[in-house]
Amino acid sequence: MRYGLLTAGLLLLAAPTPAAEPRSTYVTLVLQAFAAKVECPNTDVVYQDLLEKAQQMHLPDGTTEKVRKAIAYMHTGGKMGKKQDDDLMMEVAVATQSTDLDQRRLGMPAWCESQKTNLAGLIRSTGG
């Protein structure tokens, strides 16, 4: 009986913690939030909520800033932001392509409207 309880206790201790969601999912969310800020009238990004989302997804500290810098670097031709590791830069490129396709497929007004739901809590209306 004792061995059964000991084994059960060890199994509980060895149980994996919730795995981090793929960073690429987060990269896409951040890119879409900033795209909505640029492309959609009266829309702003809630940066603090991006930080909280990264924590909820169990991503390492500093992920939001790295992603922001990578997006800025890629979308300004290196004039802003900072080049990040090759994997992150590739994730930004893929997120950019998929977002561009969605924007063309839906049209910008419909894409902007859909982002209000898809990015609820990460973007907000500026009221203007």
Side-chain angles (χ1 to χ4, degrees):
M1 180 70 174
R2 278 190 242 173
Y3 293 111
L5 291 175
L6 178 62
T7 302
L10 289 174
L11 286 174
L12 285 174
L13 288 174
T17 57
E21 290 185 50
R23 181 178 66 180
S24 60
T25 301
Y26 182 72
V27 169
T28 301
L29 285 173
V30 174
L31 183 116
Q32 289 176 342
F34 282 109
K37 177 180 179 166
V38 171
E39 302 289 348
C40 306
N42 306 317
T43 302
D44 204 357
V45 174
V46 184
Y47 191 80
Q48 183 61 37
D49 290 345
L50 292 175
L51 295 171
E52 290 172 14
K53 183 67 172 176
Q55 288 177 335
Q56 290 170 3
M57 294 175 75
H58 304 284
L59 295 171
D61 289 345
T63 297
T64 301
E65 196 57 18
K66 285 180 181 178
V67 171
R68 186 196 65 73
K69 287 178 180 179
I71 291 168
Y73 183 87
M74 185 169 287
H75 287 260
T76 64
K79 292 179 181 151
M80 295 177 69
K82 183 178 178 187
K83 188 175 187 310
Q84 301 295 312
D85 65 80
D86 289 344
D87 289 342
L88 178 53
M89 297 308 290
M90 182 59 72
E91 290 169 7
V92 170
V94 169
T96 298
Q97 288 178 335
S98 67
T99 300
D100 285 346
L101 287 172
D102 284 348
Q103 289 172 341
R104 278 189 255 138
R105 181 178 53 86
L106 295 171
M108 198 56 73
W111 183 83
C112 286
E113 192 60 35
S114 71
Q115 295 316 297
K116 291 177 185 176
T117 303
N118 297 343
L119 300 172
L122 303 178
I123 61 173
R124 65 183 162 121
S125 174
T126 58

PDB file of all heavy atoms in Angstrom, residues 10 20-22 28 34 40 84 96-97 110:
ATOM      1  N   LEU A  10       4.956  10.190  -6.742  1.00  0.00           N
ATOM      2  CA  LEU A  10       6.040  10.464  -7.687  1.00  0.00           C
ATOM      3  C   LEU A  10       5.505  10.768  -9.077  1.00  0.00           C
ATOM      4  O   LEU A  10       6.040  11.620  -9.786  1.00  0.00           O
ATOM      5  CB  LEU A  10       7.017   9.289  -7.730  1.00  0.00           C
ATOM      6  CG  LEU A  10       7.891   9.108  -6.488  1.00  0.00           C
ATOM      7  CD1 LEU A  10       8.719   7.834  -6.590  1.00  0.00           C
ATOM      8  CD2 LEU A  10       8.792  10.313  -6.279  1.00  0.00           C
ATOM      9  N   ALA A  20       4.182  25.314 -23.209  1.00  0.00           N
ATOM     10  CA  ALA A  20       4.020  26.619 -23.846  1.00  0.00           C
ATOM     11  C   ALA A  20       3.387  26.422 -25.215  1.00  0.00           C
ATOM     12  O   ALA A  20       3.696  25.463 -25.918  1.00  0.00           O
ATOM     13  CB  ALA A  20       5.374  27.297 -23.990  1.00  0.00           C
ATOM     14  N   GLU A  21       2.477  27.298 -25.544  1.00  0.00           N
ATOM     15  CA  GLU A  21       1.908  27.265 -26.887  1.00  0.00           C
ATOM     16  C   GLU A  21       3.003  27.699 -27.850  1.00  0.00           C
ATOM     17  O   GLU A  21       3.960  28.375 -27.456  1.00  0.00           O
ATOM     18  CB  GLU A  21       0.710  28.208 -26.981  1.00  0.00           C
ATOM     19  CG  GLU A  21      -0.488  27.713 -26.184  1.00  0.00           C
ATOM     20  CD  GLU A  21      -1.705  28.594 -26.390  1.00  0.00           C
ATOM     21  OE1 GLU A  21      -2.056  28.873 -27.540  1.00  0.00           O
ATOM     22  OE2 GLU A  21      -2.303  28.983 -25.373  1.00  0.00           O
ATOM     23  N   PRO A  22       2.864  27.311 -29.092  1.00  0.00           N
ATOM     24  CA  PRO A  22       3.903  27.705 -30.047  1.00  0.00           C
ATOM     25  C   PRO A  22       4.066  29.226 -30.105  1.00  0.00           C
ATOM     26  O   PRO A  22       3.088  29.962 -30.115  1.00  0.00           O
ATOM     27  CB  PRO A  22       3.388  27.179 -31.384  1.00  0.00           C
ATOM     28  CG  PRO A  22       2.328  26.206 -31.065  1.00  0.00           C
ATOM     29  CD  PRO A  22       1.796  26.549 -29.707  1.00  0.00           C
ATOM     30  N   THR A  28       1.843  35.688 -34.531  1.00  0.00           N
ATOM     31  CA  THR A  28       0.725  36.051 -35.406  1.00  0.00           C
ATOM     32  C   THR A  28      -0.237  36.998 -34.691  1.00  0.00           C
ATOM     33  O   THR A  28      -0.681  37.990 -35.282  1.00  0.00           O
ATOM     34  CB  THR A  28      -0.002  34.792 -35.906  1.00  0.00           C
ATOM     35  OG1 THR A  28       0.933  33.976 -36.625  1.00  0.00           O
ATOM     36  CG2 THR A  28      -1.173  35.144 -36.802  1.00  0.00           C
ATOM     37  N   PHE A  34      -0.783  44.774 -34.234  1.00  0.00           N
ATOM     38  CA  PHE A  34      -0.137  45.977 -34.755  1.00  0.00           C
ATOM     39  C   PHE A  34      -0.645  46.325 -36.146  1.00  0.00           C
ATOM     40  O   PHE A  34      -0.769  47.507 -36.486  1.00  0.00           O
ATOM     41  CB  PHE A  34       1.384  45.839 -34.718  1.00  0.00           C
ATOM     42  CG  PHE A  34       1.952  46.050 -33.333  1.00  0.00           C
ATOM     43  CD1 PHE A  34       2.467  44.996 -32.610  1.00  0.00           C
ATOM     44  CD2 PHE A  34       1.938  47.306 -32.750  1.00  0.00           C
ATOM     45  CE1 PHE A  34       2.967  45.187 -31.329  1.00  0.00           C
ATOM     46  CE2 PHE A  34       2.437  47.509 -31.463  1.00  0.00           C
ATOM     47  CZ  PHE A  34       2.956  46.440 -30.751  1.00  0.00           C
ATOM     48  N   CYS A  40      -6.627  49.772 -39.374  1.00  0.00           N
ATOM     49  CA  CYS A  40      -8.029  49.934 -38.991  1.00  0.00           C
ATOM     50  C   CYS A  40      -8.220  51.260 -38.256  1.00  0.00           C
ATOM     51  O   CYS A  40      -7.540  51.522 -37.256  1.00  0.00           O
ATOM     52  CB  CYS A  40      -8.473  48.780 -38.098  1.00  0.00           C
ATOM     53  SG  CYS A  40      -8.167  47.149 -38.815  1.00  0.00           S
ATOM     54  N   GLN A  84      16.130  39.865 -35.014  1.00  0.00           N
ATOM     55  CA  GLN A  84      16.145  38.834 -33.977  1.00  0.00           C
ATOM     56  C   GLN A  84      16.662  37.526 -34.588  1.00  0.00           C
ATOM     57  O   GLN A  84      17.064  37.497 -35.747  1.00  0.00           O
ATOM     58  CB  GLN A  84      14.739  38.672 -33.391  1.00  0.00           C
ATOM     59  CG  GLN A  84      14.170  39.934 -32.775  1.00  0.00           C
ATOM     60  CD  GLN A  84      14.927  40.418 -31.571  1.00  0.00           C
ATOM     61  OE1 GLN A  84      15.241  39.658 -30.666  1.00  0.00           O
ATOM     62  NE2 GLN A  84      15.255  41.707 -31.538  1.00  0.00           N
ATOM     63  N   THR A  96       3.211  37.523 -41.442  1.00  0.00           N
ATOM     64  CA  THR A  96       2.951  38.630 -42.365  1.00  0.00           C
ATOM     65  C   THR A  96       2.246  38.122 -43.612  1.00  0.00           C
ATOM     66  O   THR A  96       1.245  38.713 -44.048  1.00  0.00           O
ATOM     67  CB  THR A  96       4.272  39.332 -42.747  1.00  0.00           C
ATOM     68  OG1 THR A  96       4.855  39.875 -41.560  1.00  0.00           O
ATOM     69  CG2 THR A  96       4.035  40.446 -43.745  1.00  0.00           C
ATOM     70  N   GLN A  97       2.735  37.025 -44.168  1.00  0.00           N
ATOM     71  CA  GLN A  97       2.110  36.465 -45.372  1.00  0.00           C
ATOM     72  C   GLN A  97       0.675  36.031 -45.112  1.00  0.00           C
ATOM     73  O   GLN A  97      -0.223  36.324 -45.904  1.00  0.00           O
ATOM     74  CB  GLN A  97       2.923  35.283 -45.894  1.00  0.00           C
ATOM     75  CG  GLN A  97       4.223  35.681 -46.532  1.00  0.00           C
ATOM     76  CD  GLN A  97       5.021  34.479 -46.993  1.00  0.00           C
ATOM     77  OE1 GLN A  97       4.880  33.374 -46.481  1.00  0.00           O
ATOM     78  NE2 GLN A  97       5.878  34.708 -47.979  1.00  0.00           N
ATOM     79  N   ALA A 110     -13.726  44.321 -43.798  1.00  0.00           N
ATOM     80  CA  ALA A 110     -14.167  43.088 -43.147  1.00  0.00           C
ATOM     81  C   ALA A 110     -13.069  42.523 -42.242  1.00  0.00           C
ATOM     82  O   ALA A 110     -13.345  42.010 -41.153  1.00  0.00           O
ATOM     83  CB  ALA A 110     -14.584  42.055 -44.195  1.00  0.00           C
TER      84      ALA A 110
END
